[in-house]
Amino acid sequence: MHVPDGFIDAPISAATGVVAAGAIAVSLRGARRELDERTAPLAGLVAAFIFAVQMLNFPVAAGTSGHLLGGALAAILVGPYTGVLCVSVVLLMQGILFADGGLTALGVNITDMAITTTVVAYVVFRGLVKILPRSRRSITAASFVAALLSVPAAALVFTLLYALGGTTDVSLGKVATAMIGVHVLIGIGEAAITALTVGAVIAVRPDLVHGARGLEQRLKLRVDGELVYAPRPLEPVAARGTSRRKLWIGGLVASLVLAGFVSFYASSNPDGLEKVAADQGIDRQTKEHASADFPLADYGVRDVEDARLSGGLAGVIGVGVTVVAGTGVFWAVRKRRSTSQVA
């Protein structure tokens, strides 16, 4: 759903830029409460993993593909504020280095793909967790539903932005029907990837999953003849056998393999927005990307003739740059939190 330059006019693009900047400012402040020395490295890894999985387009209908948006996954793993920052880092890297998503449309993309998906997914997730039994299965199920709903929500927001600032005269009803219809199907893939990933992390380190906090059963003690809950430990208890370092290394290796090797086998069909834009004619005003001549544009390394090697190298570089940039941002946020607490 990366919106290119030219789909949305300048006033609405500027307005979404202001919204995006405000949301990032709020998220930087909110992330201080979500991040600590245990979760800051995980947040950088989540950003890199989202980048890698977004390279894996999967077929959803005749001639159409989809890929992970990642807002739900990030919000559940590291928290909603940090989740907005994770997806924003990914979008920034994609826009600058790989000419994926317009630079003048960066505010549109952050509003749509980072803010909308994260907020909708986390609200749905928290609502389901409150009514479902507190178990790993319920957390995974809530993740599935939250991710599923976040994608058509993003499609709806794009449609609203197009209604306000679309640069072509196309029936809004047709755009809405096509966008929401195909992104419901893409949402199924998003939901499956999100639930599998959340379930895998919960299985080895539930203490690191933001959405699973308080999942453990609390011990009851008999005091003066009455059963009362024992105090919670000051620090969450980690699952045995899996250190944070092993989890981080394993996640990074998986991201590199997905981006560097598996991505070659991804569907080559246009994604949901590209397909709808071509079918409905809303891509007539598309402008050439400012980074179109960059050596990594279109997820390939210039002058590397072998397509598999070119795409693989681009994916590995993208994962590396994203994990470094993301980890740097989140360590800075965590350090700011520590400084504020000392002050």
Side-chain angles (χ1 to χ4, degrees):
M1 203 182 293
H2 295 76
V3 179
D5 296 318
F7 272 29
I8 307 296
D9 64 21
I12 297 302
S13 295
T16 56
V18 173
V19 171
I24 289 174
V26 171
S27 296
L28 285 169
R29 189 175 184 85
R32 296 181 198 173
R33 300 190 297 271
E34 295 173 345
L35 295 171
D36 55 30
E37 67 281 356
R38 300 175 308 110
T39 56
L42 178 63
L45 177 62
V46 168
F49 183 78
I50 289 173
F51 175 91
V53 180
Q54 282 196 3
M55 293 183 67
L56 309 180
N57 281 49
F58 49 84
V60 294
T64 310
S65 69
H67 63 69
L68 181 80
L69 298 185
L73 177 62
I76 295 165
L77 287 180
V78 293
Y81 294 108
T82 308
V84 169
L85 298 178
C86 280
V87 182
S88 297
V89 167
V90 173
L91 293 172
L92 184 61
M93 295 299 102
Q94 290 170 331
I96 293 175
L97 299 180
F98 298 94
D100 190 8
L103 296 183
T104 62
L106 184 59
V108 174
N109 285 319
I110 290 177
T111 300
D112 197 26
M113 296 177 65
I115 301 170
T116 300
T117 58
T118 301
V119 171
V120 170
Y122 198 70
V123 168
V124 172
F125 175 80
R126 295 308 305 176
L128 290 173
V129 165
K130 287 182 179 179
I131 62 177
L132 293 173
R134 296 291 290 171
S135 68
R136 294 179 181 179
R137 288 184 178 180
S138 64
I139 296 294
T140 303
S143 301
F144 184 95
V145 177
L148 174 62
L149 296 179
S150 70
V151 178
L156 177 61
V157 168
F158 169 80
T159 303
L160 293 175
L161 293 175
Y162 182 81
L164 294 173
T167 56
T168 54
D169 185 16
V170 178
S171 168
L172 183 61
K174 291 182 178 179
V175 173
T177 301
M179 281 293 293
I180 296 173
V182 72
H183 283 91
V184 167
L185 299 176
I186 294 173
I188 297 173
E190 176 101 10
I193 295 170
T194 300
L196 288 171
T197 305
V198 170
V201 179
I202 287 179
V204 294
R205 287 300 298 260
D207 60 307
L208 296 181
V209 178
H210 181 88
R213 290 179 179 178
L215 182 62
E216 70 280 358
Q217 295 292 327
R218 294 181 61 185
L219 177 65
K220 284 188 175 182
L221 303 175
R222 186 173 296 278
V223 178
D224 296 330
E226 295 184 2
L227 287 175
V228 297
Y229 283 112
R232 292 188 184 275
L234 295 178
E235 293 292 334
V237 179
R240 294 181 180 180
T242 305
S243 66
R244 294 199 305 270
R245 177 176 295 182
K246 288 181 179 179
L247 177 64
W248 194 90
I249 293 174
L252 180 60
V253 170
S255 300
L256 291 170
V257 170
L258 291 173
F261 177 72
V262 181
S263 62
F264 181 77
Y265 301 97
S267 173
S268 60
N269 291 331
D271 65 25
L273 177 58
E274 291 174 328
K275 179 65 173 176
V276 172
D279 289 348
Q280 302 299 326
I282 65 177
D283 59 352
R284 292 194 294 266
Q285 299 297 323
T286 303
K287 298 178 181 179
E288 185 178 13
H289 200 285
S291 301
D293 293 329
F294 197 78
L296 297 174
D298 295 325
Y299 297 94
V301 178
R302 184 186 297 171
D303 298 329
V304 176
E305 300 297 332
D306 185 270
R308 178 176 297 187
L309 180 60
S310 177
L313 286 174
V316 168
I317 293 170
V319 168
V321 171
T322 303
V323 76
V324 170
T327 302
V329 168
F330 299 125
W331 270 112
V333 172
R334 188 198 70 82
K335 187 176 180 180
R336 182 71 180 272
R337 171 191 176 182
S338 300
T339 303
S340 300
Q341 289 176 339
V342 171

